[in-house]
Amino acid sequence: PGIDKKGVFIYRTIEDLELMTEWARKATRGAVIGGGLLGLEAAKAMIDLGISNTQIIEFAPRLMPRQIDSAASRLLQSKLEQLGLTIHTSKNTSEIIGDDCISGMTFSDSTSMEIDMLVISAGIKPRDELAKASGLDTGARGGIVVNDQLKTSDPDIFAIGECALYNGMIYGLVAPGYEMADVVVRNLMAGFVGQVPTAAFTGFDMSTKLKLIGVDVASFGDPFAAGEDIKSIAFEDTMKGIYKRINISSDGKQLLGGILIGDAAQYNMLLQTCKNNIVLPPNPEEVILGSRGGESETAAGVAGLPDDALICSCESVTKAGICTAVSEDNCETVDAVKKCTKAGTGCGGCVPMVKDLITHTMKSQGKYLRNVLCEHFNYSRQELFDMVKIHALKSYDEVLDKVG
Ligand SMILES: Cc1cc2nc3c(=O)[nH]c(=O)nc-3n(C[C@H](O)[C@H](O)[C@H](O)COP(=O)(O)OP(=O)(O)OC[C@H]3O[C@@H](n4cnc5c(N)ncnc54)[C@H](O)[C@@H]3O)c2cc1C
């Protein structure tokens, strides 16, 4: 109750954000219901908008319980608290109070809180009104029921994206929506040319890597895998705020899933190792701790991936697609590969692997590789260092003007 009061927001569109920004100018105490990805981002945005007293209200006993384990939640919570956020877990909102505008909230544990701005970010509500009105089957908690071909209960109507309920699940990410669209298009096209539609949606790997308020958070495969046949290796550095966990088969050969907090540089490689059942090195801990000596395991690892390994899941670009762009279309920079294949143009998480694949492919073609620092400078780190010294350059802009 009380959700219609002024000062209570959900956020989905740019217009929602504009309204929130406007309201935040006069707000001093804020709260966010929901300690998931979007809720945490919203809370940080409120702090950035000047509401230094911002609280997060989470129903579950810890943050992001569906994505990360309790050790990772603890680490994340302490990082967020350092940013000035107050976090309440196991807290269930009863009512939003106030006259015309919000003035506070009450909770099921008989406590209350005074606030003048509230953002609700407590999960996806599928827009299935039209489907319901049309008599299509919908789930008890919303969503249009679809089968493997994304057909609704009326076989002439398809549903894809966040309104579709597949196998009891609503997929709240872009990539599964693209995959669903692809299945529908392939089947429709098959129908047009008189073929039997065979494409099927079989669920989607929800592995994700994102930067949450400046903190890398990633989980892949089965992040919680446990049991007699499964071993876990975990590394925790509370000084640097890093937590890494991998779950492996008891013979140490297969990677089943894992969690990365604070440093997710190895995410893509681990994801591909997991998805493609690539055999782990004899000391599996090296995949999160780095190998002791020798080539970086990432650079060595891309060579071992199968051609059909999906490198860019946003744009569905495989290893073979990237290597072909390098070897046959002469794409020798990340930008060129992006233009040619679209890999790396979505979330950008695969860019390090794209770089490694460019290096690997060019090396295998016997091409000369200049070890330049980045796309802004055509020099190696040492060369640039020397130039900065010789020209007595004092700022990034000066360096860019002179030699960039
Ligand atoms: C703040 C925020 C951040 C996000 N960040 C990420 C991210 O980083 N990565 C990621 O993968 N996903 C992210 N998502 C989730 C992602 O945006 C959704 O999963 C994706 O947009 C779903 O696509 P869709 O086409 O099913 O629905 P939408 O993108 O919501 O599009 C549905 C459209 O249909 C319109 N519509 C609804 N009902 C009707 C009707 N009856 N008639 C006509 N039109 C109608 C709606 O107005 C809307 O424009 C984020 C979501 C939010 C809210």
Side-chain angles (χ1 to χ4, degrees):
I3 199 165
D4 298 328
K5 295 192 193 308
K6 286 186 187 149
V8 180
F9 301 88
I10 53 149
Y11 76 120
R12 178 92 215 170
T13 62
I14 291 290
E15 290 74 27
D16 295 334
L17 296 184
E18 283 165 358
L19 291 172
M20 284 165 63
T21 312
E22 186 62 34
W23 188 270
R25 291 208 180 102
K26 52 187 182 203
T28 54
R29 288 159 303 173
V32 175
I33 296 184
L37 305 175
L38 297 183
L40 297 177
E41 287 290 358
K44 172 65 168 42
M46 283 165 84
I47 288 200
D48 292 345
L49 286 168
I51 310 174
S52 55
N53 182 354
T54 295
Q55 329 236 357
I56 293 172
I57 318 291
E58 169 57 50
F59 175 72
R62 57 189 183 80
L63 296 177
M64 297 178 64
R66 286 194 300 160
Q67 290 93 350
I68 56 179
D69 64 12
S70 44
S73 287
R74 266 200 314 275
L75 192 78
L76 186 63
Q77 178 157 346
S78 85
K79 285 204 163 211
L80 299 176
E81 284 165 350
Q82 282 163 24
L83 292 170
L85 291 165
T86 311
I87 296 163
H88 306 270
T89 50
S90 303
K91 202 130 182 107
N92 196 359
T93 309
S94 315
E95 193 177 350
I96 298 164
I97 48 177
D99 296 329
D100 189 26
C101 301
I102 180 171
S103 63
M105 300 162 77
T106 58
F107 302 98
S108 59
D109 58 5
S110 306
T111 56
S112 61
M113 183 185 285
E114 286 184 8
I115 49 162
D116 44 22
M117 177 168 178
L118 174 66
V119 175
I120 301 177
S121 173
I124 303 160
K125 188 166 173 287
R127 297 286 306 270
D128 56 9
E129 310 92 291
L130 184 62
K132 276 189 182 138
S134 315
L136 298 182
D137 286 353
T138 53
R141 298 176 68 192
I144 308 162
V145 176
V146 291
N147 66 10
D148 287 0
Q149 297 197 323
L150 287 321
K151 280 183 183 169
T152 64
S153 51
D154 179 332
D156 289 330
I157 303 177
F158 296 81
I160 61 169
E162 258 182 31
C163 67
L165 181 69
Y166 172 80
N167 220 356
M169 172 132 180
I170 299 280
Y171 288 90
L173 290 173
V174 170
Y178 289 164
E179 170 73 17
M180 289 176 172
D182 197 46
V183 169
V184 173
V185 169
R186 276 190 280 150
N187 284 339
L188 289 178
M189 295 310 287
F192 282 136
V193 293
Q195 291 170 355
V196 181
T198 52
F201 182 77
T202 51
F204 201 86
D205 178 15
M206 293 299 276
S207 302
T208 34
K209 175 186 126 173
L210 32 100
K211 235 188 184 29
L212 188 68
I213 317 189
V215 182
D216 275 345
V217 177
S219 66
F220 60 92
D222 183 351
F224 305 109
E228 270 182 24
D229 297 338
I230 295 164
K231 303 270 179 255
S232 288
I233 300 175
F235 165 78
E236 187 169 0
D237 178 344
T238 47
M239 283 286 287
K240 291 191 179 142
I242 293 173
Y243 173 76
K244 299 180 182 186
R245 164 181 167 171
I246 50 169
N247 308 315
I248 55 179
S249 55
S250 56
D251 60 5
K253 291 196 170 147
Q254 302 298 323
L255 180 59
L256 306 171
I259 297 167
L260 305 167
I261 307 284
D263 171 14
Q266 294 128 329
Y267 169 76
N268 266 307
M269 197 59 222
L270 292 175
L271 176 64
Q272 292 306 328
T273 304
C274 177
K275 271 187 171 174
N276 294 291
N277 292 323
I278 293 172
V279 176
L280 288 166
N283 299 313
E285 70 278 10
E286 287 183 357
V287 297
I288 48 171
L289 300 178
S291 66
R292 281 153 253 175
E295 198 174 3
S296 102
E297 75 286 354
T298 312
V302 287
L305 293 177
D307 281 351
D308 59 359
L310 199 60
I311 304 296
C312 173
S313 45
C314 299
E315 294 293 339
S316 283
V317 188
T318 60
K319 174 186 169 187
I322 293 166
C323 294
T324 309
V326 179
S327 59
E328 289 178 19
D329 300 320
N330 292 321
C331 300
E332 296 183 352
T333 62
V334 172
D335 269 353
V337 171
K338 276 185 180 175
K339 278 196 192 113
C340 182
T341 64
K342 285 193 172 175
T345 56
C347 73
C350 64
V351 168
M353 278 185 105
V354 172
K355 267 189 194 161
D356 285 343
L357 280 172
I358 295 173
T359 308
H360 163 71
T361 312
M362 287 177 67
K363 265 191 191 164
S364 61
Q365 287 181 299
K367 285 194 176 164
Y368 171 64
L369 271 174
R370 256 184 72 69
N371 187 21
V372 297
L373 190 64
C374 67
E375 57 267 48
H376 305 112
F377 302 100
N378 199 21
Y379 302 103
S380 68
R381 181 179 291 273
Q382 185 59 47
E383 288 166 342
L384 199 63
F385 180 81
D386 292 341
M387 286 191 191
V388 168
K389 249 178 125 175
I390 292 164
H391 297 293
L393 303 174
K394 296 271 189 281
S395 68
Y396 177 79
D397 284 346
E398 274 186 58
V399 181
L400 199 61
D401 283 347
K402 186 86 183 164
V403 295

